[in-house]
Amino acid sequence: MAVTAAQENFGIALQLGGSNARAEFFEFLDNTIRSTTRIEKPSSQADGLLKELVEEANRQQVGRSLAKPVPVVVSFAGPVQEDAKTATPSNFEINGGKEAINLEEHLNGINPDGVKFKVKVLNDAAALINAAAIDNKDLLAPEDKVYHAIMGTGMGGAGGTIAEDGGVTEINANEPGHEIMPDLFKYRFIEGTDRQQIASPLTNNKGYVELYTAGGNSDDRGLVATLNNFRDMMHAPGTSQEEGRFFEARDLLKQTLKENSVEGFENMLTATIGNSRVIQNDFTLSNKNITQAAKDGDKFAKALVTFTLIRASQALAQSINSQGKDKPVALVSINGSFNRGLREAVDPNGDLQFRVVNAELKKLGHLGIKDNDPNRLVQFDPELDGTPLILEKQLREAVIS
């Protein structure tokens, strides 16, 4: 392939929405993609970002044919219509409003006498599942089922099918965070019968997945809520009822770890829990504080983080199963700080998460992860919701064709 042909291919990867609206510009040279420019703006300034994007595209396109539209791949926070060009902003504005807007027409309208744009808009779940399929293409074949989960401050996800061209089709985004956690009654003493991870004083909803798979410092969500339940039991008056509740929780914690082939906690005593620095600390702790204590060798913190990873993985399996169980899932990819933090603390290779997800799927009557292959479950945290990978694939295909 001649370099001159490659130089004619230029594209833009863009993320709109969330806490930042960001864009990266890519130029295709010598069979490689390299970043040439990065722009970061708050999402409230999306209009200004799009104008800067157009101006930069005009500068980059000098000396190239203006007859060939510049491809733009957008990850969009908001509903996306079937044309994959029209979307409705949910937490930011475009063209001064939150109405549905055709981004291809909008970009070309900003730039009537300059380069033209060919835009593909994907919601974040669709962008991530497509990028994950590209990143793991050697594991996948047409008709394979794939699933991507977003596990950060809440939980989202999408399932789909690998198409002949390696992309993902039949994408079905679901709301796993709104499902009820599996086995709530079984784990009630560990997670708090009274506390029960309450959503808000207004709704008083209990047991939703997103309340367990949650980052941040809230006292009634995620890993922090489970820790505070143990703190409550340790500091409660020593009645026989309270002691019995604590012993139930302690023994079930040890049993759960053993059932999932986690060794080293069989002899975890009451004193081990009472002497833990995360129990003794009088201040509100965050997930990061607790996972750091686990990394530093605090045995109870490690047990608690491991338990939380098991529960998050059970919720993940439930979400995959809700997409259908007629075929094994060939790829499970996960992004998000909550899941990443748990794994970095107690399961860096993902072995435990794979075992739990695969076993839980089969318990639900699903065929499980394809070939029982641990490599098919990955923590995948790409830049810009994976739009650079999708753009790179488009550019390569354009050059090859």
Side-chain angles (χ1 to χ4, degrees):
M1 181 191 66
V3 174
T4 52
Q7 287 175 327
E8 294 179 359
N9 289 273
F10 162 76
I12 298 165
L14 174 66
Q15 178 187 5
L16 282 176
S19 59
N20 285 292
R22 296 179 292 171
E24 282 196 23
F25 298 84
F26 286 88
E27 193 168 5
F28 198 66
L29 297 172
D30 280 335
N31 296 311
T32 64
I33 300 289
R34 63 179 176 85
S35 174
T36 57
T37 306
R38 172 181 287 238
I39 297 175
E40 294 204 12
K41 295 284 183 184
S43 57
S44 61
Q45 299 177 18
D47 290 336
L49 170 65
L50 292 173
K51 289 177 182 177
E52 288 188 47
L53 182 152
V54 168
E55 291 171 1
E56 181 64 24
N58 283 328
R59 287 193 292 269
Q60 293 281 350
Q61 199 73 351
V62 172
R64 299 184 179 92
S65 170
L66 293 181
K68 193 169 187 180
V70 172
V72 182
V73 179
V74 184
S75 168
F76 197 88
V80 178
Q81 295 184 16
E82 288 186 8
D83 65 0
K85 300 180 188 300
T86 305
T88 306
S90 59
N91 59 351
F92 62 102
E93 296 182 353
I94 295 180
N95 205 21
K98 294 185 178 180
E99 304 300 321
I101 187 167
N102 184 309
L103 274 174
E104 183 169 288
E105 292 179 357
H106 183 62
L107 284 175
N108 289 328
I110 294 174
N111 198 44
D113 300 319
V115 299
K116 298 304 176 188
F117 299 92
K118 181 180 180 182
V119 177
K120 180 175 184 179
V121 184
L122 302 162
N123 66 35
D124 54 356
L128 284 161
I129 197 172
N130 270 281
I134 293 168
D135 199 52
N136 295 275
K137 62 182 183 295
D138 293 343
L139 291 172
L140 300 172
E143 301 302 319
D144 274 347
K145 298 293 184 182
V146 293
Y147 189 84
H148 181 83
I150 305 167
M151 203 178 296
T153 55
M155 188 169 177
T161 303
I162 298 298
E164 289 291 334
D165 66 358
V168 184
T169 186
E170 300 174 2
I171 295 175
N172 178 32
N174 62 348
E175 293 288 349
H178 297 170
E179 296 175 352
I180 300 298
M181 282 289 291
D183 295 323
L184 277 176
F185 184 78
K186 176 180 178 179
Y187 296 110
R188 66 194 183 281
F189 292 124
I190 295 176
E191 295 168 344
T193 308
D194 301 323
R195 185 182 299 277
Q196 201 61 56
Q197 314 252 359
I198 297 172
S200 77
L202 295 177
T203 62
N204 203 35
N205 290 326
K206 300 179 179 181
Y208 284 113
V209 166
E210 65 184 5
L211 306 181
Y212 288 74
T213 59
N217 302 328
S218 175
D219 286 350
D220 59 6
R221 298 184 70 177
L223 179 56
V224 174
T226 307
L227 168 63
N228 283 336
N229 180 56
F230 270 92
R231 280 179 166 179
D232 291 348
M233 290 187 290
M234 293 295 292
H235 298 150
T239 65
S240 58
Q241 181 179 4
E242 288 297 334
E243 288 180 354
R245 184 167 168 252
F246 171 79
F247 291 137
E248 282 268 9
R250 182 200 64 185
D251 293 344
L252 181 57
L253 179 60
K254 293 193 290 186
Q255 177 189 333
T256 302
L257 299 178
K258 183 178 179 180
E259 287 174 350
N260 288 278
S261 303
V262 180
E263 299 178 348
F265 296 95
E266 297 82 2
N267 297 318
M268 186 172 62
L269 304 175
T270 300
T272 307
I273 300 175
N275 292 328
S276 167
R277 90 173 192 226
V278 297
I279 285 288
Q280 293 183 341
N281 194 311
D282 292 331
F283 300 101
T284 299
L285 297 178
S286 66
N287 287 334
K288 187 174 181 180
N289 297 139
I290 304 168
T291 54
Q292 186 60 52
K295 290 179 182 179
D296 293 341
D298 186 311
K299 189 169 184 177
F300 175 63
K302 188 173 182 180
L304 207 60
V305 172
T306 305
F307 171 79
T308 303
L309 179 61
I310 290 169
R311 292 292 277 141
S313 301
Q314 290 171 341
L316 174 58
Q318 176 177 266
S319 303
I320 297 167
N321 186 65
S322 71
Q323 295 273 325
K325 56 183 74 179
D326 58 319
K327 293 186 70 173
V329 59
L331 177 68
V332 179
S333 63
I334 314 160
N335 81 296
S337 58
F338 182 75
N339 195 74
R340 183 176 65 252
L342 298 177
R343 280 185 43 160
E344 286 177 351
V346 298
D347 188 33
N349 296 322
D351 297 334
L352 172 61
Q353 185 155 54
F354 168 79
R355 290 199 306 272
V356 176
V357 171
N358 204 31
E360 190 75 8
L361 282 171
K362 292 179 179 180
K363 188 175 84 173
L364 294 169
H366 193 280
L367 294 174
I369 296 175
K370 187 175 181 179
D371 303 327
N372 294 313
D373 182 0
N375 294 315
R376 294 181 181 274
L377 187 146
V378 297
Q379 177 75 29
F380 177 66
D381 291 290
E383 287 291 318
L384 307 179
D385 290 340
T387 51
L389 286 168
I390 301 168
L391 173 64
E392 179 180 351
K393 183 174 183 288
Q394 285 191 4
L395 291 174
R396 289 184 185 282
E397 288 172 348
V399 170
I400 291 170
S401 61

